[in-house]
């Protein structure tokens, strides 16, 4: 007899209780909070947010209109603590954890449409919430967890059995928010938008849904683009020009994906999952099979995109939004053998924490501890440097500092800063730093 239970037979199982679900999510949040850290790049957004809250606009240096951020909605949210007098760092970490909690809840919502067995649903939550990379980015101060939550929201809407006009508006708004959080989320929105159009194409009122699916999001993004043109004078962020000159070739992206695969085991198992995927003949089986094909295709699509851009120097940050998808695909292929699923997924979670850091470092990637250490280890101590500058050179000083660490040092010092990597400086981004 199959280990996958019917919805009816599990209706009163202990795994179906909301108290159990939120207890598991609570443990995941506590685990992520125990690993809380913040990276230097987060302070770039905080500096923009502080200047915005003080009435100087979304600028890095007052009076210099350069779009040195790629997380518009996240940066706006970070202005809240400056407006109401809260600790900005504590607020940032708490906000990240809130989106981490939301992403786990959305993961459960997705599993309800894919799995009948409550044990399997909880396994997905545990695998996601306790995994090395996903739990680490439960904080970090970056927009990563917000982006992951918005991605899961989109997926939950895209694979829903039906989508009425109101749901189409929700998809459109969620897609716009995702792009405002990370511009490359346009690829995510495009993929799942096309998926919705394809899977619902045969329905009688299909054409009437196109307008609510496209117009609200397009309107929001149109306002954002108009703002960018009016304030910064161009559509592309300054970070694009800063990174084009130093863009990596495909070998860097391949190394990044290989390192992620070796350190987590998720990608290879997810790609191979269709080979041993069990047959599904229950109610709604055709829709579930289609959704799993969509999830599998999205995981492959995003991995190829990450390869094309050369990966990233932070520990698998670009893969956070797709880690839930890999877990869903793997667990779905094992759902008829629940004990085996727990054993294999538990091994993957354990390996993600125990994998030798040499697997990560070999690809030129900084692990989580290394990313956090820049702010306080004696040889760098970027937070300490910024605070010393603030005490020795009070705000309002006409001293200009130059640094490649353009986060904590400028944020804490409050001094005008030349970003020598060019992320927040348009001239350096296009011409580089000139030495005479």
């Amino acid at each position: 007899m199959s280990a996958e239970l019917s919805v009816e037979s599990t209706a009163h199982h202990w795994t179906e209780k909301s108290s159990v679900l939120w207890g598991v999510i609570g443990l995941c949040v506590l685990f992520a909070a125990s690993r809380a850290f913040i990276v230097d790049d987060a302070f770039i957004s905080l500096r923009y947010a502080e200047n915005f809250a003080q009435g100087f606009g979304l600028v890095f240096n007052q009076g210099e209109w350069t779009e040195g951020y790629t997380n518009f909605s996240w940066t706006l949210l970070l202005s809240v603590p400056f407006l109401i007098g809260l600790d900005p760092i504590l607020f940032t970490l708490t906000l990240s954890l809130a989106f981490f909690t939301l992403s786990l809840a959305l993961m459960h919502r997705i599993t309800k449409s894919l799995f009948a067995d409550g044990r399997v649903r909880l396994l997905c939550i545990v695998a996601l919430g306790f995994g090395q990379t996903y739990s680490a980015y439960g904080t970090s101060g970056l927009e990563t967890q917000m982006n992951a939550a918005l991605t899961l929201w989109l997926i939950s809407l895209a694979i829903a059995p039906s989508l009425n006009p109101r749901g189409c508006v929700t998809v459109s708004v969620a897609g716009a928010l995702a792009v405002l959080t990370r511009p490359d989320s346009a690829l995510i929105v495009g993929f799942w938008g096309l998926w919705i159009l394809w899977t619902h194409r045969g329905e009688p009122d299909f054409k009437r849904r196109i307008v609510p699916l496209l117009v609200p999001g397009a309107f929001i993004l149109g306002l954002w683009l108009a703002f960018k043109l009016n304030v910064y004078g161009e559509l592309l962020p300054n970070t694009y020009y800063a990174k084009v000159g130093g863009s990596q070739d495909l070998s860097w992206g391949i190394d990044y994906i290989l390192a992620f695969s070796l350190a987590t085991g998720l990608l290879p198992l997810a790609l191979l999952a269709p080979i041993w995927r069990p047959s599904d003949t229950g109610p709604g089986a055709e829709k579930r099979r289609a959704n799993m094909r969509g999830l599998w295709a999205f995981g492959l699509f995003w991995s190829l995109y990450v390869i094309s851009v050369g990966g990233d120097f932070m520990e698998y940050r670009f893969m956070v939004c797709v880690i839930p998808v890999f877990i869903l695909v793997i667990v779905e292929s094992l759902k008829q053998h629940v004990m085996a699923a727990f054993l294999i997924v538990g091994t993957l979670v354990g390996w993600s924490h125990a994998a030798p850091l040499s697997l990560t470092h070999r690809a030129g990637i900084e692990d989580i501890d290394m990313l956090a250490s820049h702010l306080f280890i004696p040889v760098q101590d970027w937070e300490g440097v910024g605070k010393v500058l603030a005490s020795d050179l009070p705000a309002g000083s006409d001293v200009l500092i130059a640094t490649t660490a353009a986060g904590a040092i400028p944020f804490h010092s409050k001094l005008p800063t030349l970003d020598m990597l060019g992320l927040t400086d348009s001239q350096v981004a296009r011409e580089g730093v000139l030495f005479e």
Side-chain angles (χ1 to χ4, degrees):
M1 179 175 161
S2 172
E4 184 187 15
L5 307 178
S6 68
V7 174
E8 290 80 8
S9 64
T10 60
H12 302 291
H13 197 278
W14 64 270
T15 58
E16 300 293 324
K17 296 180 179 179
S18 60
S19 58
V20 173
L21 168 66
W22 286 105
V24 170
I25 290 177
L27 289 175
C28 293
V29 173
L30 288 175
F31 180 66
S34 73
R35 311 181 66 206
F37 79 108
I38 190 166
V39 299
D40 189 62
D41 281 18
F43 289 96
I44 296 176
S45 295
L46 282 168
R47 178 161 163 127
Y48 271 93
E50 183 176 24
N51 281 328
F52 177 73
Q54 292 177 350
F56 299 110
L58 281 171
V59 296
F60 187 75
N61 290 320
Q62 295 174 20
E64 297 180 12
W65 295 92
T66 303
E67 187 184 6
Y69 58 90
T70 54
N71 50 6
F72 179 77
S73 58
W74 179 250
T75 299
L76 288 184
L77 286 174
L78 295 191
S79 68
V80 171
F82 299 104
L83 291 170
I84 61 178
L86 298 177
D87 182 325
I89 296 176
L90 179 60
F91 177 88
T92 301
L93 297 177
T94 303
L95 185 62
S96 294
L97 283 171
F99 279 110
F100 178 74
T101 306
L102 177 61
S103 72
L104 295 177
L106 288 167
M107 181 69 159
H108 181 258
R109 177 179 174 179
I110 293 170
T111 62
K112 289 182 71 174
S113 66
L114 298 175
F115 309 123
D117 193 332
R119 296 170 298 173
V120 174
R121 297 176 196 167
L122 288 181
L123 176 61
C124 291
I125 305 299
V126 170
L128 186 62
F130 284 97
Q132 155 64 19
T133 298
Y134 202 86
S135 62
Y137 285 103
T139 52
S140 86
L142 300 173
E143 76 286 348
T144 307
Q145 198 55 234
M146 180 179 180
N147 176 248
L150 289 169
T151 299
L152 286 170
W153 188 20
L154 273 173
I155 292 174
S156 71
L157 294 167
I159 68 173
S162 61
L163 196 63
N164 56 32
R166 182 176 179 180
C168 289
V169 172
T170 304
V171 169
S172 192
V173 172
L177 289 175
V179 176
L180 293 178
T181 303
R182 277 193 62 87
D184 58 4
S185 289
L187 296 173
I188 299 173
V189 174
F191 181 95
W192 288 109
L194 290 173
W195 179 261
I196 289 171
L197 292 174
W198 176 257
T199 55
H200 293 278
R201 69 191 185 282
E203 298 176 9
D205 57 348
F206 170 71
K207 292 183 179 180
R208 287 189 297 172
R209 302 180 194 179
I210 295 178
V211 171
L213 188 63
L214 298 179
V215 172
F219 178 74
I220 293 171
L221 294 178
L223 292 177
W224 173 57
L225 293 175
F227 165 81
K228 285 159 65 76
L229 280 174
N230 182 59
V231 172
Y232 301 115
E234 50 194 346
L235 292 176
L236 294 175
N238 187 67
T239 51
Y240 168 80
Y241 301 101
K243 293 178 179 179
V244 163
S247 60
Q248 312 289 5
D249 59 30
L250 288 179
S251 64
W252 285 84
I254 293 171
D255 281 347
Y256 182 88
I257 288 296
L258 285 175
F260 172 76
S261 298
L262 292 171
T264 67
L266 292 173
L267 178 56
L269 279 181
L271 291 180
L272 294 172
I275 296 175
W276 57 77
R277 178 174 297 154
S279 59
D280 186 351
T281 57
E286 184 177 349
K287 176 66 174 177
R288 287 194 297 272
R289 286 196 297 268
N291 285 335
M292 293 312 303
R293 288 195 294 269
L295 290 168
W296 186 90
F298 174 65
L300 177 60
F301 168 73
W302 188 257
S303 299
L304 291 174
Y305 162 70
V306 172
I307 290 174
S308 73
V309 298
D312 184 43
F313 75 95
M314 297 189 196
E315 183 186 319
Y316 314 127
R317 176 173 63 116
F318 281 6
M319 302 302 289
V320 169
C321 68
V322 80
I323 285 175
V325 172
F326 292 147
I327 291 172
L328 289 169
V329 171
I330 293 169
V331 171
E332 196 272 345
S333 70
L334 301 168
K335 65 182 180 180
Q336 289 188 358
H337 308 282
V338 176
M339 294 302 103
F342 271 81
L343 178 62
I344 292 173
V345 173
T347 300
L348 289 175
V349 172
W351 174 250
S352 72
H353 289 277
L357 290 177
S358 58
L359 297 176
T360 296
H361 297 162
R362 184 181 59 79
I365 303 167
E366 295 187 16
D367 64 81
I368 298 298
D369 289 340
M370 190 181 298
L371 289 169
S373 69
H374 295 305
L375 299 179
F376 56 80
I377 59 172
V379 71
Q380 292 175 312
D381 191 20
W382 293 341
E383 275 197 306
V385 170
K387 292 175 182 178
V388 168
L389 288 173
S391 63
D392 292 349
L393 300 168
S397 171
D398 58 359
V399 173
L400 173 69
I401 63 173
T403 179
T404 57
I409 293 176
F411 174 77
H412 287 294
S413 71
K414 312 303 180 188
L415 294 171
T417 303
L418 172 65
D419 176 5
M420 296 178 68
L421 295 181
L423 297 177
T424 63
D425 188 285
S426 58
Q427 182 174 344
V428 174
R430 289 164 174 79
E431 302 176 17
V433 178
L434 302 179
F435 296 93
E436 297 183 358

